[in-house]
Amino acid sequence: MARGVRLSTNTGATAWLALGALLAGGAAAGALAPSAALDWQPQLAWREPWRLFSAAFVHWSTPHLAVNLLGTAVVVAWGWVARVPRAAALAWALAWPLTHAALALQPQIAHYGGLSGILHAGVAVVAVHLLRHARGTRRGIAAAVLAGLAAKILLEAPWRGALQASAAWDFALAPLAHAAGAVAGTVLGACATWRAPRSR
């Protein structure tokens, strides 16, 4: 009598995929809404706390949206391949509002929108997970990604100014969002994976 084989599912990777789909879908839908109703604005952020989340759905141009949707797909795919646990997906979700809350440190940023800060957080969460649980080449890749992320933040130098012009975009960049996302993702990712037993 043949024995049945039950295929196990990775609920963590599924949760990671669902969060990525929420971010991408919200960004696509956000293109149809007035940005002033959703974007980060320091004078409204605490009276309208949904902006800690909805700021991710605002994009200032079609190329801006397209690049962030592509970036979302890459981060989601990396987390899926890494088979991140549910705790990692939760860490990424918590980094979402924290990334935008950090913008209060630079009130000169009158308006902010985009997924880039949250994508930096997602990259950090997966890298920290792999650094603890992977071995060999995969761990080396995770270490290289974290080092590259740190180098990128240092090169962007968010302390030099709240907004920085870029020849590649028709709007100013807010490097603090990238730094905040990377820090939030690293810290929350470490908290999520620290108590988990190290993979054999």
Side-chain angles (χ1 to χ4, degrees), residues 94-162:
L94 291 175
W96 180 352
L98 290 178
T99 296
H100 296 145
L103 296 174
L105 296 173
Q106 290 181 335
Q108 308 94 309
I109 303 175
H111 296 270
Y112 173 82
L115 282 167
S116 57
I118 300 168
L119 296 181
H120 281 67
V123 169
V125 169
V126 178
V128 168
H129 167 74
L130 288 175
L131 197 62
R132 176 164 172 79
H133 294 284
R135 291 193 174 191
T137 302
R138 288 170 57 131
R139 180 179 289 178
I141 291 173
V145 167
L146 281 176
L149 198 59
K152 180 179 184 294
I153 298 305
L154 290 174
L155 288 173
E156 289 180 341
W159 56 86
R160 290 181 187 166

Side-chain angles (χ1 to χ4, degrees), residues 33-41 44 48 50-51 58 60 111:
S35 62
L38 303 175
D39 68 342
W40 164 269
Q41 298 182 41
L44 297 177
E48 300 177 356
W50 69 80
R51 293 177 184 271
V58 175
W60 307 116
H111 296 270

